[in-house]
Amino acid sequence: MMEEQARIMQALSGVTLAGHSVQGGMGLPPPHGHEGTDGDGRKQDIGDILHQIMTITDQSLDEAQAKKHGLNCHRMKPALFSVLCEIKEKTGLSIRGAQEQDPPDPQLMRLDNMLLAEGVSGPEKGGGSAAAAAAAAAAGGGAENSIEHSDYRAKLTQIRQIYHTELEKYEQACNEFTTHVMNLLREQSRTRPISPKEIERMVGIIHRKFSSIQMQLKQSTCEAVMILRSRFLDARRKRRNFSKQATEILNEYFYSHLSNPYPSEEAKEELAKKCSITVSQVSNWFGNKRIRYKKNIGKFQEEANLYAAKTAVTATHAVAAAIHNSQANSPTTPNSGFQMKDEEFQLDSAESKNSLLTNMFTAVLILSVFISLPSVLILSVFISLPSVLTLSVFISLPSV
DNA sequence: GCGAATGATTTGAA
DNA sequence: TTCAAATCATTCGC
């Protein structure tokens, strides 16, 4: 180390000081405390200064500051500064880093775009509402969704707040650090040549470092949004059983259309409306119901009986109303309006239809006891006999 | 905690 | 596109 210093000092002592010859004694007044007029005295003087510079790091801070101040005030300082300028020009340090303009990072662009799309980095109001609305639509309608919707937005706002707070902190730290470095460079520019380009380059380096930290923040924020979104959008996670009433409505339809349990689009819409669910949920329900019923008819027998009885009551009420109005419209069977779509289902369910018929008769008998109406009247509903004709026989009403 | 029930999704056929 | 069938993921009742 000391050898190297000595070598540099030796080399420098012989260099031309920006057009002033050290040896020649032109223009440079003698330093303080060294009144010698000969070349050796000046050489010694420069040697001392350089030695002071080289050993400055070995000293304490106060000592160094004092030395630094001494050097700054030294009358040889301009000459030394010129030397440094010359050296720098020769080594071409100032040229380096001229082509520093990086193209925008594609990953950063992706992150920025995503944060903007999710309403994290965009304008404050309505941020992410489109995403939340889409998620709500995917999960199905209803008041529950508006709760989930607001829940999603609240969580997104939370993420947004954290993101902005952290971003602000990073920016503040970046600015503080940049200011600090620039002050240092300005300070140093008094003792060594620093071009504005160099300062610019240094600022660029600092900004790049901080932007890489920012990218990590953006990445984490994106991950948080993705998790939130997936949790919100994944309907399976949020599955709720339909209300008892909705299930009853769907079951009633299913068992009253057992020979062809394929509701039309209109019927699906109607059911969806009644059950406060979506049409696709109705489709899902019927899909599940058909397959599960077909797979285990025995298991659903009780349920089938129950709904058959229910249908009977409904039909009875209809007939009673018909009697009341003295109308002669023949009621139709519940299944009459449907065509068989699925032969397999038809075959498989034939067995169940037979047993269902037996159960229906049982239900009719029970009903006739409970609602004090002739069994045949109720039966007529099920076996598609003209009610009025049947009634005319059993309750002595004139047939139309 | 476990098994059944149930709503949703995926896959493949028509 | 719709449906059956298989499967997944969650809820519910014990």
Side-chain angles (χ1 to χ4, degrees):
Chain A
M1 181 66 179
M2 288 307 285
E3 272 174 40
E4 198 185 350
Q5 281 180 16
R7 196 172 46 79
I8 293 165
M9 279 157 67
Q10 200 182 349
L12 280 172
S13 60
V15 84
T16 309
L17 295 181
H20 306 290
S21 168
V22 175
Q23 307 279 342
M26 282 169 68
L28 278 177
H32 300 295
H34 294 271
E35 295 300 320
T37 50
D38 59 337
D40 280 349
R42 283 188 191 140
K43 223 171 170 179
Q44 179 65 38
D45 192 25
I46 293 164
D48 284 347
I49 295 165
L50 288 171
H51 181 74
Q52 280 177 39
I53 293 167
M54 300 308 254
T55 55
I56 209 160
T57 49
D58 299 334
Q59 295 153 1
S60 73
L61 202 63
D62 288 342
E63 243 181 318
Q65 285 290 348
K67 284 272 162 67
K68 203 173 98 183
H69 182 71
L71 283 167
N72 273 334
C73 300
H74 202 281
R75 61 197 172 86
M76 285 292 284
K77 190 218 161 182
L80 270 171
F81 195 82
S82 302
V83 171
L84 288 170
C85 283
E86 198 177 315
I87 292 167
K88 194 171 179 184
E89 211 168 306
K90 277 182 182 169
T91 51
L93 269 170
S94 58
I95 307 158
R96 229 180 62 194
Q99 66 288 347
E100 292 284 341
Q101 280 294 61
D102 298 305
D105 185 352
Q107 200 193 344
L108 190 65
M109 274 173 74
R110 268 203 308 277
L111 290 171
D112 280 335
N113 285 340
M114 190 191 157
L115 289 172
L116 200 68
E118 291 298 332
V120 177
S121 60
E124 185 79 45
K125 291 275 171 187
S129 61
E144 216 171 303
N145 275 325
S146 62
I147 297 163
E148 285 173 5
H149 184 109
S150 62
D151 196 35
Y152 177 87
R153 286 183 68 163
K155 289 209 162 74
L156 196 69
T157 309
Q158 232 175 318
I159 292 171
R160 188 192 163 93
Q161 273 170 356
I162 293 166
Y163 171 76
H164 283 288
T165 312
E166 290 300 310
L167 202 66
E168 215 169 288
K169 271 190 209 167
Y170 285 155
E171 268 163 14
Q172 205 181 329
C174 180
N175 287 339
E176 273 174 23
F177 191 71
T178 308
T179 313
H180 181 69
V181 168
M182 280 175 83
N183 285 340
L184 272 175
L185 288 172
R186 264 192 222 112
E187 174 92 359
Q188 283 187 8
S189 70
R190 284 196 281 164
T191 49
R192 69 182 181 95
I194 298 168
S195 66
K197 259 192 183 167
E198 253 184 289
I199 297 174
E200 212 176 287
R201 198 171 67 92
M202 191 63 82
V203 170
I205 290 167
I206 296 164
H207 282 182
R208 270 198 297 282
K209 287 283 168 203
F210 271 92
S211 82
S212 76
I213 299 167
Q214 266 189 22
M215 193 147 92
Q216 282 174 19
L217 170 73
K218 283 177 181 176
Q219 191 132 26
S220 304
T221 310
C222 280
E223 276 169 20
V225 172
M226 291 303 281
I227 291 164
L228 175 70
R229 229 172 122 70
S230 69
R231 284 206 179 147
F232 187 74
L233 278 170
D234 194 348
R236 280 205 270 208
R237 280 181 189 278
K238 288 268 165 192
R239 188 175 74 77
R240 293 268 182 280
N241 286 359
F242 296 158
S243 68
K244 219 174 171 184
Q245 200 190 355
T247 313
E248 274 192 18
I249 292 165
L250 293 167
N251 271 317
E252 268 174 39
Y253 189 97
F254 180 81
Y255 288 109
S256 64
H257 298 79
L258 202 57
S259 63
N260 187 37
Y262 299 88
S264 64
E265 207 52 42
E266 291 76 30
K268 279 181 194 172
E269 277 168 24
E270 181 78 20
L271 285 166
K273 214 169 166 182
K274 277 186 191 170
C275 301
S276 303
I277 56 174
T278 64
V279 174
S280 65
Q281 281 177 305
V282 173
S283 302
N284 283 343
W285 190 92
F286 273 88
N288 284 325
K289 191 71 185 181
R290 279 192 299 264
I291 201 79
R292 281 162 189 167
Y293 179 83
K294 194 175 143 181
K295 266 186 175 176
N296 197 347
I297 294 163
K299 199 180 83 181
F300 288 94
Q301 206 56 72
E302 207 179 319
E303 192 177 71
N305 295 346
L306 187 79
Y307 284 100
K310 269 193 176 185
T311 311
V313 173
T314 312
T316 308
H317 283 170
V319 172
I323 296 161
H324 185 261
N325 295 328
S326 300
Q327 296 285 315
N329 297 328
S330 299
T332 56
T333 60
N335 300 332
S336 60
F338 287 91
Q339 292 293 313
M340 290 296 197
K341 255 191 190 172
D342 182 30
E343 282 176 38
E344 202 185 343
F345 187 90
Q346 190 188 357
L347 278 168
D348 286 351
S349 61
E351 184 194 333
S352 75
K353 272 171 77 185
N354 290 334
S355 59
L356 181 67
L357 205 64
T358 319
N359 285 305
M360 276 160 68
F361 278 107
T362 318
V364 163
L365 284 170
I366 296 162
L367 275 170
S368 64
V369 172
F370 280 97
I371 58 175
S372 308
L373 273 174
S375 303
V376 181
L377 170 65
I378 303 162
L379 270 173
S380 68
V381 176
F382 291 100
I383 57 172
S384 305
L385 282 175
S387 302
V388 180
L389 175 68
T390 323
L391 282 169
S392 64
V393 177
F394 285 92
I395 53 174
S396 309
L397 277 175
S399 82
V400 181

